[in-house]
């Protein structure tokens, strides 16, 4: 049985197999790890293979090579050309030479030693002009050559300088590429968690992807979702993360991400975007964090500290042209839990908008009841409102009546607190409650009747056209 066949068998038995393959591609050095995972989808076994380099990818791309050759040629006044390990010119100050074969480079790559060639030697080699050719080294491996065209006596003094500068620029380019690839991988991971479906993807596979990036999804986390609106180009992201508008400017997105990283500096915090105007933080919390409710010292209470951090972040992000709202989900220590926390955070933002509340930061616990009501089919919700609220929704002052009922119930059926919440005199509140009781024939001061009406008001507010 081959190694591949053995991996397939192990995968079907439910294990995620990791193997190491020795291999080399032009311009790439390192060892490649191969991961095979199997997922049950609709009765069919789907095989997923992940390949990754366990060391830095050192690829000299034509775009990078051409940029280096063009800029260096302009500085030193001699044509600079760059080849890959196969001797093909991939960058040159003289663009006519791009794509041609440079025979001298093959020997330089083989011996890893610089060479010079005068007019007599150059004419004996394919695609070579008088000058010098030096190897480009990264991680002690050749990734190509750099050549300078001219009389060897004139250009040799530039050789080491040009090679050193080329290697510096290439390392910077690869570092940037590595950072961009990591950023993209983190955002892909966040999207995997946001749209996780256990019928399609094994949770262990997503956890493995996270571990490859250095994140342990078993740690206690809460998902923070940040929706940013820009004046003149508001981002109306729905509860499911879909956004029909084009992305905000890259500079603004980068600035928001930098601010979010400052607010959440923990190495286990995942930060990225899932849609235009929507930013997501998977914030790590201590495993022994206390409950959200109850009196305690904010400095010793991670959940409350998280809300304080979110309020400070919202303040930092808010300006004359930018506003933001932040929703916070519940605790999670697994892939499915993080998915639920993400849905809680996005539902919090959605319901805060539907309920007309203007808090810049809200936790799912602030909207648990509306969140539950939103899961009821619309037709059933409508029947409930008509059955409990009767003719009140058709009244010209329905919004005032609805706000009165909500304040009465949310204040614990206390006249003084409810009147203060409504900014009315106590006698005015008593008059309103008496009027509601007469219209419905229900004792609204009875907590059971009051709660029934309160739920009807919440349902009506969720379904209200705005």
């Amino acid at each position: 049985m081959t190694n591949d066949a053995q991996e397939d068998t192990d995968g079907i038995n439910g294990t995620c197999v990791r193997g190491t393959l020795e291999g080399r591609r032009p311009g790439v050095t390192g060892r490649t790890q191969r991961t095979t995972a199997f997922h049950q989808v609709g009765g069919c076994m789907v095989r997923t293979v992940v390949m990754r380099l366990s060391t830095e990818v050192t690829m000299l791309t034509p775009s990078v090579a051409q940029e280096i050759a063009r800029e260096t040629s302009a500085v030193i006044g001699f044509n600079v050309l760059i080849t890959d390990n196969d001797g093909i010119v991939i960058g040159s100050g003289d663009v006519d030479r791009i794509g041609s074969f440079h025979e001298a480079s093959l020997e330089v790559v083989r011996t890893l030693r610089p060479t010079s060639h005068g007019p007599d030697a150059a004419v004996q080699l394919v695609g070579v002009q008088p000058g010098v050719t030096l190897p480009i080294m990264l991680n002690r491996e050749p990734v190509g050559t750099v050549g300078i065209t001219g009389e060897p006596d004139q250009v040799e003094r530039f050789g080491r300088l040009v090679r050193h500068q080329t290697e510096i620029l290439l390392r910077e380019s690869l570092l940037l590429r590595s950072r961009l690839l990591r950023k993209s991988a983190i955002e892909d991971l966040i999207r995997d968690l946001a749209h996780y479906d256990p019928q399609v993807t094994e949770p262990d596979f997503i956890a493995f992807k996270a571990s490859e990036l250095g994140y342990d999804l078993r740690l206690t986390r809460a998902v923070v979702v940040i929706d940013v609106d820009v004046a003149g180009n508001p981002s109306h992201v729905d509860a499911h993360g879909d956004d029909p508008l084009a992305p905000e400017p890259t500079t603004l997105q980068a600035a928001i991400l930098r601010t979010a990283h400052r607010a959440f500096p923990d190495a286990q915090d995942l930060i990225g975007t899932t849609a235009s105007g929507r930013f997501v933080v998977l914030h790590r919390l201590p495993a022994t964090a206390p409950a959200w409710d109850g009196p305690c010292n904010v400095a010793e209470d991670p959940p409350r500290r998280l809300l304080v951090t979110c309020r400070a972040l919202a303040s930092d992000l808010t300006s004359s042209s930018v506003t933001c709202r932040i929703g916070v989900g519940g605790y999670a220590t697994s892939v499915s839990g993080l998915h639920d926390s993400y849905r809680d955070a996005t539902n919090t933002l959605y319901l805060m908008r539907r309920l007309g509340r203007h808090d810049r930061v809200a936790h799912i616990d602030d909207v648990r009841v509306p969140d539950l009501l939103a899961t009821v089919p619309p037709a059933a919700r409508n029947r409930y409102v008509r059955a409990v609220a009767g003719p009140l929704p058709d009244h010209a002052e329905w919004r005032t009546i609805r706000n009165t009922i909500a304040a009465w119930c949310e204040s614990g059926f206390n006249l003084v607190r409810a009147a203060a919440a409504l900014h009315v005199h106590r006698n005015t509140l008593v008059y309103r409650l008496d009027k509601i009781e007469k219209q419905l024939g229900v004792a609204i001061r009875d907590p059971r009747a009051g709660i029934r009406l309160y739920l009807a008001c919440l349902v009506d507010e969720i379904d209200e056209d705005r």
Side-chain angles (χ1 to χ4, degrees):
M1 179 179 290
T2 65
N3 288 339
D4 284 354
Q6 181 63 50
E7 286 185 358
D8 288 357
T9 301
D10 293 342
I12 291 174
N13 288 335
T15 59
C16 186
V17 182
R18 296 178 62 180
T20 300
L21 303 177
E22 292 288 351
R24 183 169 296 180
R25 300 182 310 202
V28 180
T29 63
R31 294 163 64 87
T32 303
Q33 287 188 330
R34 175 178 183 270
T35 302
T36 304
F38 291 82
H39 316 287
Q40 189 76 27
V41 181
C44 299
M45 192 67 69
V46 178
R47 180 172 181 262
T48 305
V49 178
V50 174
M51 302 289 292
R52 79 175 184 93
L53 291 176
S54 59
T55 57
E56 183 181 7
V57 177
T58 55
M59 181 173 292
L60 182 57
T61 63
S63 60
V64 172
Q66 178 56 24
E67 180 181 0
I68 294 173
R70 183 182 65 250
E71 293 182 358
T72 308
S73 297
V75 171
I76 69 173
F78 294 95
N79 182 58
V80 174
L81 65 82
I82 297 175
T83 76
D84 60 18
N85 282 342
D86 296 321
I88 303 300
V89 178
I90 57 176
S92 175
D94 178 4
V95 294
D96 292 336
R97 299 187 66 181
I98 295 177
S100 64
F101 177 62
H102 190 262
E103 186 177 358
S105 296
L106 295 180
E107 184 66 13
V108 171
V109 169
R110 187 183 70 82
T111 63
L112 303 183
R113 293 178 179 176
T115 184
S116 61
H117 21 271
D120 293 338
V123 76
Q124 303 296 322
L125 300 171
V126 178
V128 177
Q129 295 181 9
V132 295
T133 305
L134 305 93
I136 301 174
M137 306 291 292
L138 283 177
N139 295 335
R140 299 182 180 180
E141 292 282 347
V143 295
T145 69
V146 57
I148 307 175
T149 303
E151 290 295 329
D153 292 341
Q154 290 182 305
V155 299
E156 275 183 342
R157 65 181 186 274
F158 294 112
R160 290 185 179 179
L161 177 63
V162 171
R163 180 178 68 176
H164 182 62
Q165 184 66 20
T166 300
E167 291 174 350
I168 289 175
L169 293 174
L170 183 56
R171 277 196 292 269
E172 290 177 350
S173 174
L174 291 173
L175 179 60
L176 176 60
R177 176 180 172 83
S178 175
R179 288 174 178 171
L180 291 175
L181 288 174
R182 178 174 175 81
K183 177 178 177 290
S184 177
I186 290 174
E187 291 184 346
D188 285 344
L189 174 61
I190 292 174
R191 291 188 186 96
D192 286 344
L193 291 167
H195 302 291
Y196 169 68
D197 183 347
Q199 299 300 318
V200 176
T201 308
E202 289 288 343
D204 288 347
F205 184 60
I206 295 179
F208 169 72
K209 291 174 64 177
S211 68
E212 292 290 275
L213 293 169
Y215 298 107
D216 184 355
L217 298 187
R218 296 170 299 179
L219 299 176
T220 304
R221 286 182 172 85
V223 176
V224 177
V225 176
I226 307 161
D227 276 358
V228 176
D229 292 342
V230 181
N233 184 29
S235 172
H236 296 293
V237 184
D238 68 16
H240 304 290
D242 299 319
D243 182 10
L245 300 179
E248 68 281 348
T250 303
T251 52
L252 176 59
Q253 184 186 83
I256 293 172
L257 286 172
R258 284 196 301 271
T259 304
H261 277 287
R262 286 196 299 269
F264 299 100
D266 193 288
Q268 283 291 322
D269 289 340
L270 286 83
I271 303 175
T273 63
T274 58
S276 171
R278 172 159 287 180
F279 301 82
V280 179
V281 180
L282 275 61
H283 175 59
R284 185 184 71 87
L285 290 164
T288 57
W292 291 92
D293 297 324
C296 63
N297 187 339
V298 172
E300 299 174 355
D301 182 8
R304 281 179 171 74
R305 223 169 36 234
L306 173 57
L307 294 179
V308 170
T309 299
C310 288
R311 292 188 185 102
L313 176 60
S315 178
D316 290 341
L317 293 177
T318 301
S319 66
S320 59
S321 60
V322 177
T323 59
C324 80
R325 285 191 172 188
I326 299 177
V328 182
Y331 288 158
T333 56
S334 65
V335 169
S336 60
L338 286 168
H339 171 73
D340 292 340
S341 184
Y342 174 82
R343 303 300 290 182
D344 283 347
T346 55
N347 287 347
T348 299
L349 290 171
Y350 171 74
L351 289 169
M352 292 295 283
R353 284 193 174 95
R354 294 301 302 170
L355 296 173
R357 300 180 185 176
H358 303 292
D359 309 62
R360 288 195 295 191
V361 177
H363 186 268
I364 181 62
D365 285 349
D366 299 328
V367 290
R368 284 290 186 189
V369 174
D371 185 45
L372 177 63
L373 295 175
T375 64
V376 179
R381 294 201 301 261
N382 185 61
R383 287 198 306 272
Y384 179 83
V385 172
R386 288 298 174 184
V388 174
L392 291 182
D394 298 324
H395 198 284
E397 297 182 0
W398 166 236
R399 285 197 177 186
T400 299
I401 295 172
R402 188 178 66 191
N403 292 340
T404 299
I405 295 171
W408 169 244
C409 295
E410 290 174 358
S411 299
F413 309 103
N414 182 283
L415 284 174
V416 175
R417 290 199 296 268
L422 292 168
H423 305 290
V424 299
H425 192 274
R426 179 178 178 277
N427 292 340
T428 302
L429 176 59
V430 171
Y431 171 77
R432 289 183 184 179
L433 294 176
D434 289 341
K435 192 173 180 180
I436 292 171
E437 287 185 341
K438 289 178 181 179
Q439 288 183 321
L440 289 180
V442 173
I444 193 174
R445 291 172 175 81
D446 178 354
R448 291 172 298 180
I451 290 174
R452 287 197 298 269
L453 269 173
Y454 176 64
L455 295 178
C457 290
L458 285 180
V459 167
D460 183 78
E461 200 168 2
I462 292 172
D463 293 338
E464 184 180 42
D465 293 330
R466 295 185 184 277

